[in-house]
């Protein structure tokens, strides 16, 4: 009996633990937000069934090798047909080559979306975030829907690092307007600051260029002055997250100047190590008539970050401490957890805007399917047009050759003039080559002899023979 009771208690504890785990892993967005039925329904198009080709990758690579380009619809179709994890490397190679070819300006909006969703489906998040961050070589840009999908998925997995990276991409693109996206982005940054997992920040770093053994001098037209734009050139995680907090904090400040907005801006400038902006923000808060409030936990993080800094300007630490002490004594600092506040705001934003986003994305999928069909039809017509032109050109050339044969003796004078012009050109070419001290190749001499050949004139005596 005692053993059965102990077993029952263990089962109950295991059940409670599973429930607790489900609660911790609960996402903000519903399953309907993924639009899985509509997304997978694109494969049911009978037109796509006809175009399926097991050697699609090989044919695309031949096009890139032969013509250095491929059509936008071919790349879009290939991204649609990748349904196996083993073909993700092929998808990356095609995406990179297409990005570097002239036809990339005609890229369909569904292509990048398909690449991102495919990598997310197979959970290759390290490769996905590396490609998203390399905009020059891959051209993958996140919209609001994809950003929400990625952040929600990463937060569910406890992957706060990649959720924060998505927020950073939105900051770099200066996309702050969507209510769900903006709150999820801010929440992702705070989650990473509280629990910077997984580690390291860059699991697939770019290989460092091999330094030459000897110094190599290269002549250049001019020397570029070093320039750092404080935006796309940022690489340090703290600076990137700091600027992201500032960007979204300013966005919320324009909507409603509350504790989350001011706290995010102050913490952001602190992580970004913009010391003049830190003092300016503190002065703004102290001088405001509305008496804005700061959250205590995040202010403590600001103080800790400043104390750990090693490159502080002179008198900055004294000015910072004086203003922080004034904030604390005058009641500007209040207890509270920014994550709890953001969680509630995310829930409110989701309840208001989720159905609208779902409907918009379903319409987008339908539109992309129509665009894909139209583009396939247009390319099919273009191929048929080129084939007909090639047939006409071949027929035209054949008729010209027949006409020349039929009227050869009528145009004998013209042929002799053409021959003399060719001979003069060959003689001038030979003189130029000899003047430059270059030898005449045997191939060029043979060509000159062939061009100089003139068939003998057929006389009546020769015909009698």
């Amino acid at each position: 009996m005692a053993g059965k009771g102990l077993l029952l208690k263990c089962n109950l504890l295991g059940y409670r633990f599973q429930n607790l785990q489900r609660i911790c892993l609960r996402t903000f967005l519903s399953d309907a937000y993924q639009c899985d039925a509509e997304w997978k329904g694109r494969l049911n198009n009978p037109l796509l069934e006809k175009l399926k080709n097991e050697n699609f990758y090989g044919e695309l690579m031949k096009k890139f090798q032969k013509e250095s380009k491929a059509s936008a619809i071919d790349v879009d179709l290939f991204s649609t047909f990748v349904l196996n994890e083993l073909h993700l490397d092929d998808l990356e190679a095609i995406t990179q080559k297409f990005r570097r070819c002239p036809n990339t300006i005609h890229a369909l909006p569904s292509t990048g979306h398909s690449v991102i969703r495919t990598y997310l489906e197979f959970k290759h998040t390290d490769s996905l975030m590396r490609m998203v961050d390399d905009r020059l070589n891959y051209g993958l840009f996140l919209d609001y829907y994809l950003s929400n999908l990625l952040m929600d998925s990463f937060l569910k997995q406890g992957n706060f690092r990649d959720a924060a990276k998505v927020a950073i991409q939105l900051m770099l693109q200066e996309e702050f307007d969507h209510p769900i996206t903006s709150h999820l982005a801010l929440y992702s940054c705070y989650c990473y600051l509280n629990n910077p997992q997984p580690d390291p920040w860059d699991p697939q770093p770019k290989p460092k260029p091999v330094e030459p053994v000897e110094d190599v001098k290269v002549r250049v037209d001019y020397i570029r002055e070093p320039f750092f734009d404080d935006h796309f050139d940022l690489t340090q995680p703290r600076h990137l997250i700091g600027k992201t907090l500032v960007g979204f904090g300013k966005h919320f400040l324009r909507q409603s100047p509350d504790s989350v907005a001011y706290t995010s801006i102050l913490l952001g400038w602190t992580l970004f190590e913009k010391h003049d902006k830190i003092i300016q923000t503190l002065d703004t808060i102290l001088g405001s008539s509305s008496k804005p409030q700061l959250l205590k936990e995040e202010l403590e993080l600001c103080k800790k970050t400043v104390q750990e800094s090693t490159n502080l300007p002179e008198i900055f630490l004294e000015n910072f401490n004086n203003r922080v002490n004034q904030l604390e004594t005058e009641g500007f600092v209040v207890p509270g957890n920014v994550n709890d506040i953001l969680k509630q705001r995310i829930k409110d934003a989701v309840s208001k805007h989720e159905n609208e986003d779902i409907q918009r994305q379903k319409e987008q999928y339908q539109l992309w399917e129509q665009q894909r069909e139209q583009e396939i039809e247009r390319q099919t017509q273009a191929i048929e047009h080129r084939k007909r032109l090639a047939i006409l050109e071949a027929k035209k050339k054949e008729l010209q050759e027949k006409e020349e044969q039929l009227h050869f003796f009528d145009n004998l004078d013209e042929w002799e003039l053409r021959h003399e012009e060719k001979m003069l050109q060959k003689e001038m070419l030979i003189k130029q080559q000899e003047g430059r001290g270059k030898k005449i190749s045997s191939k060029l001499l043979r060509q000159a002899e062939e061009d100089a050949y003139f068939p003998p004139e057929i006389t009546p005596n020769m015909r009698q023979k």
Side-chain angles (χ1 to χ4, degrees):
M1 291 294 291
K4 290 183 179 179
L6 181 60
L7 182 62
L8 180 61
K9 287 182 179 179
C10 290
N11 290 336
L12 287 173
L13 285 172
Y15 177 76
R16 288 175 182 174
F17 177 76
Q18 290 177 359
N19 286 343
L20 179 62
Q21 192 175 23
R22 288 194 191 101
I23 292 172
C24 293
L25 297 180
R26 179 181 56 80
T27 57
F28 293 103
L29 303 174
S30 66
D31 293 338
Y33 197 88
Q34 299 182 12
C35 302
D36 277 337
E38 289 74 19
W39 170 245
K40 294 177 180 177
R42 75 195 191 284
L43 301 173
N44 299 328
N45 191 322
L47 184 59
L48 296 184
E49 289 291 334
K50 295 179 182 179
L51 296 172
K52 270 191 177 180
N53 186 350
E54 294 182 358
N55 195 29
F56 207 159
Y57 172 73
E59 292 181 359
L60 277 176
M61 291 301 291
K62 284 181 182 178
K63 282 188 177 181
F64 281 117
Q65 292 171 1
K66 185 178 180 180
E67 306 174 15
S68 298
K69 62 181 180 180
S71 66
I73 185 61
D74 285 343
V75 176
D76 184 75
L77 289 172
F78 179 75
S79 67
T80 303
F81 291 147
V82 174
L83 304 175
N84 192 318
E85 188 176 1
L86 299 175
H87 297 152
L88 289 181
D89 291 340
D90 299 341
L91 180 59
E92 179 180 349
I94 293 296
T95 304
Q96 185 177 23
K97 286 185 175 295
F98 180 66
R99 176 64 176 173
R100 305 304 296 235
C101 83
N103 285 345
T104 190
I105 60 173
H106 305 300
L108 299 178
S110 55
T111 305
H113 185 97
S114 180
V115 173
I116 293 171
R117 285 207 65 159
T118 301
Y119 271 85
L120 179 63
E121 180 181 351
F122 292 114
K123 294 182 171 44
H124 281 239
T125 54
D126 292 346
S127 299
L128 171 61
M129 297 314 299
R130 172 179 53 80
M131 293 165 63
V132 168
D133 190 51
D134 194 354
R135 294 166 292 277
L136 180 64
N137 289 314
Y138 295 98
L140 301 177
F141 299 94
L142 301 176
D143 56 15
Y144 288 131
Y145 176 79
L146 280 176
S147 301
N148 295 342
L149 209 59
L150 289 173
M151 286 188 287
D152 189 65
S153 176
F154 293 150
L155 291 172
K156 178 181 178 181
Q157 300 166 13
N159 185 353
F160 304 130
R161 177 197 65 197
D162 289 337
K165 285 184 177 182
V166 174
I168 289 169
Q169 291 299 318
L170 292 167
M171 177 274 296
L172 293 175
Q173 297 173 194
E174 299 183 358
E175 302 282 357
F176 306 114
D177 296 332
H178 196 283
I180 299 178
T181 310
S182 55
H183 286 97
L184 273 175
L186 205 56
Y187 179 74
S188 299
C189 290
Y190 280 112
C191 284
Y192 180 76
L193 292 174
N194 293 330
N195 185 13
Q197 294 297 329
D199 196 56
W201 174 261
D202 193 0
Q204 295 184 0
K206 294 180 180 179
K208 294 182 179 179
V210 180
E211 294 291 337
V213 179
E214 299 179 357
D215 292 338
V216 179
K217 295 182 179 180
V218 180
R219 185 181 295 278
V220 295
D221 296 332
Y222 55 90
I223 298 176
R224 289 184 179 273
E225 293 292 336
F227 178 74
F228 191 81
D229 67 355
D230 249 1
H231 193 73
F232 293 108
D233 293 333
L234 294 173
T235 55
Q236 296 186 30
R238 277 202 165 192
H239 291 177
L240 288 164
I241 292 177
K243 189 164 187 181
T244 303
L245 290 175
V246 171
F248 284 101
K250 286 183 175 180
H251 169 70
F252 290 127
L253 190 63
R254 290 189 292 269
Q255 294 182 341
S256 58
D258 58 5
S259 59
V260 173
Y262 279 108
T263 302
S264 298
I265 293 173
L266 179 61
L267 180 58
W269 288 131
T270 306
L271 294 172
F272 200 10
E273 296 185 282
K274 297 296 181 181
H275 303 102
D276 55 338
K277 295 290 186 182
I278 296 172
I279 300 300
Q280 182 181 342
T281 303
L282 291 172
D283 289 338
T284 301
I285 296 171
L286 288 168
S288 177
S289 58
S290 61
K291 197 174 181 179
Q293 296 176 331
L294 295 174
L295 297 173
K296 186 176 181 179
E297 290 185 13
E298 282 63 44
L299 183 60
E300 291 297 326
L301 180 57
C302 291
K303 292 162 66 175
K304 181 182 177 182
T305 305
V306 169
Q307 291 170 359
E308 292 175 351
S309 298
T310 57
N311 56 342
L312 296 176
E314 294 181 4
I315 319 178
F316 168 77
L317 189 58
E318 181 182 351
N319 292 335
F320 176 79
N321 289 332
N322 291 337
R323 285 163 173 79
V324 170
N325 291 334
Q326 186 178 351
L327 288 171
E328 292 174 341
T329 55
E330 296 183 9
F332 285 89
V333 182
V334 296
N337 189 308
V338 68
N339 280 2
D340 292 339
I341 298 173
L342 287 173
K343 279 181 184 178
Q344 187 57 46
R345 292 187 179 181
I346 292 171
K347 291 177 183 177
D348 295 339
V350 168
S351 63
K352 290 180 182 178
H353 302 282
E354 185 181 45
N355 291 333
E356 181 183 347
D357 285 1
I358 293 172
Q359 184 60 33
R360 186 186 302 113
Q361 193 60 35
K362 288 180 179 179
E363 294 173 356
Q364 194 70 55
Y365 284 149
Q366 293 175 359
L367 177 62
W368 287 346
E369 190 169 349
Q370 293 173 5
Q371 289 177 344
R372 190 180 292 114
E373 291 177 359
Q374 292 172 0
E375 191 64 24
I376 291 172
E377 183 64 26
R378 189 192 66 80
Q379 183 166 332
T380 303
Q381 292 178 357
I383 292 172
E384 291 296 327
H385 181 67
R386 287 196 295 269
K387 286 182 178 178
R388 289 196 296 269
L389 281 179
I391 294 172
L392 288 174
E393 288 295 329
K395 192 68 176 177
K396 183 179 177 182
K397 186 177 180 181
E398 182 184 353
L399 291 174
Q400 286 177 346
E401 291 176 353
K402 287 183 177 179
E403 185 179 1
E404 289 173 357
Q405 292 175 2
L406 291 173
H407 301 281
F408 177 79
F409 292 102
D410 295 339
N411 301 324
L412 187 60
D413 294 338
E414 182 180 347
W415 283 106
E416 290 178 350
L417 287 173
R418 288 185 187 178
H419 175 69
E420 290 177 3
E421 289 176 359
K422 285 185 179 181
M423 289 298 297
L424 289 173
Q425 289 177 358
K426 293 298 179 182
E427 289 177 3
M428 290 177 63
L429 178 62
I430 292 171
K431 288 180 181 179
Q432 288 177 359
Q433 296 285 346
E434 291 176 348
R436 294 173 184 170
K438 295 182 179 180
K439 294 182 179 180
I440 307 299
S441 65
S442 57
K443 182 178 179 181
L444 192 62
L445 287 174
R446 284 198 306 271
Q447 186 65 38
E449 291 175 0
E450 290 176 4
D451 292 338
Y453 172 75
F454 189 79
E457 184 177 357
I458 300 176
T459 61
N461 294 333
M462 293 178 68
R463 286 199 186 99
Q464 289 176 1
K465 291 180 181 180

